[in-house]
Amino acid sequence: MDVLTALLLIVHLIPVSTAKDGVSSKSRKRIMPDPVTEPPVTDPVYEALLYCNIPSVAERSMEGHAPHHFKLVSVNVFIRHGDRYPLYVIPKTKRPEIDCTLVANRKPYHPKLEAFVSHMSKGSGASFESPLNSLPLYPNHPLCEMGELTQTGVVQHLQNGQLLRDIYLKKHKLLPSDWSTDQLYLETTGKSRTLQSGLALLYGFLPEFDWKKIYFRHQPSALFCSGNCYCPVRNQYLEKEQRRQYLLRLKNSQLERTYGEMAKIVDVPTKQLRAANPVDSMLCHFCHNVSFPCTRNGCIGMEHFKVIKTHQIEDERERREKKLYLGYSLLGAHPILNQTVNRLQRAAEGRKEEIFALYSAHDVTLSPVLSALGLSEARFPRFAARLIFELWQDREKPSEHSVRILYNGVDVTFHTSFCQDHHKHSPKPMCPLENLVRFVKRDMFLALGSSSTNYYDACHREGF
């Protein structure tokens, strides 16, 4: 039995104890490091397994938890696409042989998988915003294409959708049974993996949905910044952040040695190997339990993988400390957070449109949003990660609305920068909507240390 198989068996078979608050230690430790259950030293293999997010027993989650006198009014969901085939090839090696057709009796299995394929095959007449209408609705290549969603990725989001259905529809009746098109807001980037992930989640959430009621909007930018993408100061923060990454890499002699060894194995210059971002392909081998590639010069191995993964973890740690990424995130995430806050405010006023919003996105979408919200300890978005904003109305004081923020099923509301101290002087297990509104409309700009009071000025300020 190889190391990975043993690790996977451990992850699948060890029962998960449930804490008093109903959050399993397994789901809690995935979000915020837990000093009791985390490995004492950051373990790159453990972190990689969490990133793979291999579907197993349905996880417990804290979505939809609120005192009985609170009514759920609106839900906004941000997802990263599910497991995908690599975007890069390790030079001069054979691509990993992963089958991207959907087969019901192949692992990972989901009881709705066959019905999902059948329903997708009826969706050719769906009216999506161009260019989405030219994309396939489910993955179907016997050898995956680059970046294609895998069966694992589909199952991850069928599970997400079913979990949200059980909580938001069956328990909280968020949507009426005769819901209409304008009660949903669906948006995705123009990649097949994000559209298909969104459709898989939607099918788990609303099985056998009427295709005529579904409209996906196309978002050209991975930041979901719509018409507000031009932001020179954001780009300056990004350039400085990339410089920081580069300098950290230069300092890591073990990483350079590892790239050198791997380059010799595949017989290319080190620079060419590094440019091929080998960790992307190695993660696919790892998550699918496929041996790392070999050539006549030797094999790329687990030790190489651990060194690169350890550097990634170290890079995330330094990124938090140096705060350049935070500056990038505050400006990068502002347009989508502003759109979300405006939608929540409309729902609080009693409007019935866009009660359920779904953004199907990428790690480079979720990561800045998490950082901007102040969730600095949150793990980098795994495959099929979900970030959720819930809006609640207090039935005893109907004019009062509150929000809960959840990341991969864990309530992180009081970890956010705009609600860190609120629970110290309030018995409510949630945050006033006004706190989030104030944060997005004003405090995000103050956090940049500038005198700007709006997005345009913050993006164009001189002397940065």
Side-chain angles (χ1 to χ4, degrees):
M1 184 187 290
D2 64 23
V3 178
L4 177 57
T5 308
L7 277 160
L8 293 180
L9 283 171
I10 290 165
V11 165
H12 286 303
L13 300 181
I14 291 182
V16 179
S17 62
T18 306
K20 288 192 189 78
D21 59 8
V23 188
S24 72
S25 56
K26 179 180 174 189
S27 66
R28 187 175 62 243
K29 72 188 180 191
R30 288 181 177 193
I31 319 300
M32 302 290 172
D34 183 324
V36 180
T37 54
E38 295 276 303
V41 179
T42 304
D43 176 355
V45 175
Y46 171 83
E47 293 296 324
L49 274 170
L50 294 184
Y51 178 84
C52 297
N53 190 19
I54 295 153
S56 54
V57 190
E59 56 183 319
R60 296 184 185 88
S61 71
M62 291 298 287
E63 277 101 348
H65 282 230
H68 64 90
H69 58 91
F70 279 83
K71 180 191 173 195
L72 184 65
V73 177
S74 172
V75 172
N76 285 239
V77 180
F78 300 77
I79 56 170
R80 183 188 177 192
H81 58 75
D83 178 78
R84 59 153 170 79
Y85 198 72
L87 299 168
Y88 303 86
V89 178
I90 298 176
K92 296 191 179 178
T93 63
K94 202 165 168 239
R95 302 210 272 133
E97 289 190 15
I98 311 287
D99 184 347
C100 272
T101 56
L102 302 180
V103 181
N105 58 0
R106 187 179 69 215
K107 286 185 175 178
Y109 169 74
H110 192 278
K112 288 208 165 82
L113 189 64
E114 271 182 298
F116 169 74
V117 174
S118 168
H119 197 63
M120 292 304 107
S121 62
K122 299 170 196 158
S124 52
S127 62
F128 297 160
E129 185 176 0
S130 178
L132 302 177
N133 39 20
S134 62
L135 297 176
L137 302 181
Y138 59 97
N140 61 350
H141 293 94
L143 174 60
C144 298
E145 296 192 335
M146 304 308 285
E148 187 170 10
L149 196 66
T150 64
Q151 176 158 324
T152 302
V154 171
V155 168
Q156 285 165 335
H157 278 305
L158 285 171
Q159 277 192 357
N160 272 342
Q162 194 161 14
L163 182 139
L164 300 186
R165 173 180 175 76
D166 288 344
I167 295 164
Y168 295 142
L169 297 187
K170 290 185 180 174
K171 183 178 173 188
H172 288 290
K173 311 283 189 287
L174 178 67
L175 292 171
S177 55
D178 60 345
W179 56 272
S180 59
T181 305
D182 62 1
Q183 288 174 311
L184 303 185
Y185 182 88
L186 311 170
E187 189 169 347
T188 176
T189 59
K191 302 290 183 191
S192 63
R193 62 183 174 274
T194 46
L195 176 63
Q196 292 165 5
S197 292
L199 285 167
L201 185 144
L202 199 61
Y203 188 79
F205 188 61
L206 294 165
E208 301 301 312
F209 58 73
D210 181 346
W211 280 103
K212 291 197 276 300
K213 291 184 178 183
I214 299 300
Y215 183 73
F216 266 95
R217 290 167 173 81
H218 171 241
Q219 174 52 249
S221 162
L223 282 175
F224 282 66
C225 44
S226 303
N228 297 299
C229 292
Y230 182 62
C231 186
V233 173
R234 180 196 69 216
N235 296 342
Q236 287 166 23
Y237 273 116
L238 184 59
E239 282 162 20
K240 291 185 176 181
E241 163 62 14
Q242 287 167 339
R243 174 87 181 149
R244 178 204 63 74
Q245 285 181 338
Y246 172 70
L247 293 173
L248 183 69
R249 199 189 76 214
L250 288 187
K251 282 194 291 193
N252 190 336
S253 54
Q254 189 186 16
L255 181 71
E256 288 304 298
R257 268 199 312 277
T258 299
Y259 277 137
E261 284 173 23
M262 290 168 66
K264 277 200 182 108
I265 289 168
V266 298
D267 195 23
V268 298
T270 307
K271 196 173 176 182
Q272 187 185 340
L273 177 87
R274 205 188 297 112
N277 193 19
V279 73
D280 185 55
S281 186
M282 292 170 85
L283 274 164
C284 176
H285 284 84
F286 179 85
C287 294
H288 288 266
N289 204 11
V290 174
S291 305
F292 293 126
C294 293
T295 70
R296 64 176 185 276
N297 303 328
C299 291
I300 290 172
M302 191 56 120
E303 290 314 305
H304 299 124
F305 178 67
K306 283 181 183 173
V307 170
I308 299 176
K309 191 69 194 148
T310 300
H311 177 75
Q312 275 192 335
I313 294 162
E314 186 54 43
D315 181 70
E316 283 179 42
R317 191 176 295 135
E318 193 193 72
R319 187 177 83 177
R320 286 197 288 268
E321 287 166 14
K322 292 283 171 80
K323 300 272 198 289
L324 293 166
Y325 188 76
L326 175 62
Y328 166 76
S329 298
L330 287 162
L331 291 168
H334 187 269
I336 194 170
L337 285 173
N338 193 48
Q339 188 183 37
T340 301
V341 158
N342 290 342
R343 183 180 297 113
L344 294 175
Q345 285 183 300
R346 290 195 299 272
E349 289 161 8
R351 299 276 289 278
K352 295 292 182 228
E353 300 86 36
E354 300 180 7
I355 296 169
F356 179 81
L358 172 65
Y359 294 94
S360 189
H362 304 265
D363 52 0
V364 292
T365 318
L366 266 67
S367 190
V369 174
L370 291 166
S371 178
L373 292 172
L375 299 170
S376 58
E377 294 301 312
R379 278 195 167 87
F380 187 79
R382 67 192 192 189
F383 285 130
R386 64 183 191 273
L387 174 67
I388 296 183
F389 290 68
E390 295 176 348
L391 179 69
W392 296 82
Q393 180 183 40
D394 188 340
R395 285 193 178 99
E396 293 171 359
K397 298 175 183 167
S399 62
E400 286 189 13
H401 288 79
S402 302
V403 290
R404 293 176 78 231
I405 316 288
L406 300 107
Y407 184 45
N408 295 336
V410 176
D411 186 344
V412 293
T413 310
F414 297 121
H415 292 273
T416 61
S417 54
F418 58 88
C419 218
Q420 266 171 351
D421 302 321
H422 180 71
H423 64 301
K424 291 174 187 168
H425 49 80
S426 169
K428 284 185 189 175
M430 46 187 86
C431 191
L433 174 60
E434 301 79 69
N435 284 38
L436 175 60
V437 173
R438 191 185 315 119
F439 173 71
V440 173
K441 303 288 183 186
R442 187 193 75 187
D443 295 350
M444 282 180 85
F445 308 120
L446 295 178
L448 289 163
S450 76
S451 57
S452 309
T453 54
N454 63 65
Y455 178 69
Y456 181 87
D457 289 349
C459 282
H460 295 82
R461 77 178 195 267
E462 298 294 323
F464 166 65

